[in-house]
Amino acid sequence: MGTLSKGGRITREILDEELERLRASWSTAAEKTDSEATLASVLGPKALEQLDLFDRLQLAAVIGVCRECATLSEAGRELFGSTREKRKVRNDADRLRKYLARFGLDWQTCCSGVS
């Protein structure tokens, strides 16, 4: 900070900006670590390595919702709340079951964290 600051002096403003930047990067890293750990506990490290970043982010969010809900149906309603009204058949639990199956998961595995 001293090298990059004007006149080589670290002011309170420079310190506050640096602290804010560091806190933001730490929280992002912690969130990524949490989601990666969640996915690894459910899928296993080998399967996790084979997922694209897009699938990792989406699946981590889905698992987070599932773990907050008491049932598969409740999680399905939470996840598909907007699109369910546009469908003829509104079986959100079945949609969620099929989504999880794409990754070799089921409700029990998803919520217990055992691969």
Side-chain angles (χ1 to χ4, degrees):
M1 285 188 327
T3 303
L4 299 174
S5 61
K6 292 180 183 176
R9 302 195 131 228
I10 300 171
T11 64
R12 181 67 183 185
E13 182 180 332
I14 292 172
L15 178 63
D16 289 340
E17 287 175 9
E18 182 65 10
L19 284 172
E20 185 176 324
R21 186 189 67 77
L22 287 172
R23 285 187 185 116
S25 69
W26 290 336
S27 67
T28 303
E31 289 170 6
K32 182 177 181 183
T33 302
D34 289 346
S35 67
E36 293 287 319
T38 297
L39 290 174
S41 73
V42 173
L43 294 171
K46 262 189 173 175
L48 181 60
E49 289 175 6
Q50 296 175 354
L51 289 181
D52 291 329
L53 177 60
F54 178 85
D55 290 328
R56 287 179 185 209
L57 295 172
Q58 186 177 40
L59 184 57
V62 168
I63 290 171
V65 170
C66 289
R67 289 184 172 183
E68 292 175 2
C69 295
T71 65
L72 182 68
S73 295
E74 180 185 351
R77 284 190 298 273
E78 179 74 25
L79 290 164
F80 302 116
S82 296
T83 58
R84 71 187 313 258
E85 299 303 321
K86 299 173 188 167
R87 298 177 62 94
K88 289 181 182 179
V89 178
R90 297 179 183 156
N91 191 342
D92 301 324
D94 189 54
R95 287 177 72 188
L96 178 54
R97 189 178 297 111
K98 288 175 182 174
Y99 174 81
L100 293 174
R102 286 180 29 208
F103 300 99
L105 299 173
D106 59 20
W107 174 254
Q108 291 76 24
T109 304
C110 177
C111 292
S112 67
V114 178
S115 57

